[in-house]
């Protein structure tokens, strides 16, 4: 792939993880893929780049990408088909609704100045009350 082709590829495009964030790099990648799957940017059946290829493009260790893909697979966001690669799974309407609620909560937490850890604590407490 030429450098020009790499820069116009649909994923990851211009997105790069933020090494200064308190959110681990694998989690930033995982969350980015979930967001794109939920908003349709990564349509069901979209093949994601190979672990080593994406790691090189993002400037992270292959283990970082592998862990993100493994957690995405466990959550049903992607499926890995061996040598045929990792592809985005179809998402149902309930999941999209839950994702929208989570995005709203994340936005409100950030606006109030809550850290990621504080937001997770609040979410865990609310989840336990239900």
């Amino acid at each position: 792939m030429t450098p020009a082709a790499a820069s116009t590829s649909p994923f990851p495009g211009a997105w790069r993880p933020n090494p200064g964030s308190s959110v681990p790099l694998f989690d930033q990648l995982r969350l980015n893929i979930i967001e794109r799957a939920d908003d349709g940017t990564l349509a069901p059946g979209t093949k994601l780049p190979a672990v080593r290829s994406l790691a090189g493009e993002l400037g992270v260790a292959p283990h970082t990408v592998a862990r993100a893909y493994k957690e995405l697979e466990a959550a049903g966001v992607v499926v890995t088909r061996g040598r045929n690669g990792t592809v985005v799974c179809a998402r149902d309407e309930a999941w999209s609704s839950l994702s929208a609620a989570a995005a709203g909560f994340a936005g409100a937490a950030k606006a109030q100045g809550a850290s990621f850890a504080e937001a997770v604590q609040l979410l865990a407490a609310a989840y336990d009350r239900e």
Side-chain angles (χ1 to χ4, degrees):
M1 180 180 291
T2 66
S7 66
T8 60
S9 64
F11 184 80
W15 181 84
R16 295 295 178 265
N18 177 359
S21 173
S22 63
V23 179
L25 297 176
F26 82 90
D27 216 18
Q28 291 179 48
L29 175 59
R30 183 185 66 82
L31 293 169
N32 183 270
I33 292 172
I34 289 171
E35 181 180 318
R36 290 180 184 214
D38 286 346
D39 73 12
T41 305
L42 289 174
T46 301
K47 186 175 178 181
L48 297 178
V51 169
R52 289 187 189 276
S53 173
L54 184 56
E57 188 169 349
L58 296 177
V60 299
H63 176 75
T64 300
V65 176
R67 181 168 178 191
Y69 280 13
K70 180 179 179 183
E71 292 196 12
L72 288 164
E73 187 164 22
V77 178
V78 302
V79 61
T80 300
R81 299 180 177 150
R83 292 197 168 274
N84 292 325
T86 301
V87 297
V88 177
C89 294
R91 307 292 290 228
D92 64 17
E93 190 173 313
W95 184 262
S96 293
S97 174
L98 185 57
S99 177
F105 171 72
K110 281 183 178 180
Q112 294 292 322
S115 70
F116 178 76
E118 290 167 334
V120 169
Q121 287 177 331
L122 290 169
L123 180 60
Y127 196 87
D128 288 343
R129 283 193 300 270
E130 292 302 315

